[in-house]
Amino acid sequence: QVQLTETGGGSVQTGGSLRLSCAASGYAHNLESMGWFRQAPGKEREMIACIDSDGTTAYTWSIKDRVTISKDNAKNTLNLQMSSLKPEDTAVYYCAADYRRSWWDRSCSSDDFRYWGQGTQVTVSS
């Protein structure tokens, strides 16, 4: 089993940037797929981006120009760089992972992942 811990959340003003990190521990040496999701108050959890072990990525079109997903295999760390943040980006951001890749066609969903972190709060003020 893998444990996922998100860090880097906090408060930022509109137009600012944040870098979120997800540290994988436990049995984390052969994760095939990882991703970032977010859930705003009263809304459904939505995809931000996913990445597989070879570096293939999938992004939500609406925010693709403002986020970059990356991973450091040596450190078992997943990152999400966000810029030009808006109040509507306010949400709890979750890291997800699995030992298999079940997403294709440049689109992933929460159903593609069995392991989740507890989330980190991002608040963007106007």
Side-chain angles (χ1 to χ4, degrees), residues 10-18 83-87 89 123-126:
S11 297
V12 64
Q13 292 185 330
T14 297
S17 300
L18 282 175
S83 63
S84 301
L85 288 166
K86 307 172 182 178
D89 294 320
T123 302
V124 184
S125 61
S126 60

Side-chain angles (χ1 to χ4, degrees), residues 46-98:
E46 65 175 351
M47 164 200 172
I48 301 173
C50 298
I51 187 168
D52 73 2
S53 60
D54 293 325
T56 301
T57 58
Y59 288 93
T60 295
W61 178 255
S62 62
I63 58 173
K64 185 178 186 298
D65 59 339
R66 299 191 293 115
V67 301
T68 300
I69 189 171
S70 63
K71 62 187 300 186
D72 186 332
N73 292 327
K75 298 181 179 180
N76 292 323
T77 301
L78 180 74
N79 302 116
L80 184 71
Q81 181 68 47
M82 303 187 293
S83 63
S84 301
L85 288 166
K86 307 172 182 178
E88 51 262 45
D89 294 320
T90 296
V92 177
Y93 285 69
Y94 295 92
C95 172
D98 211 304

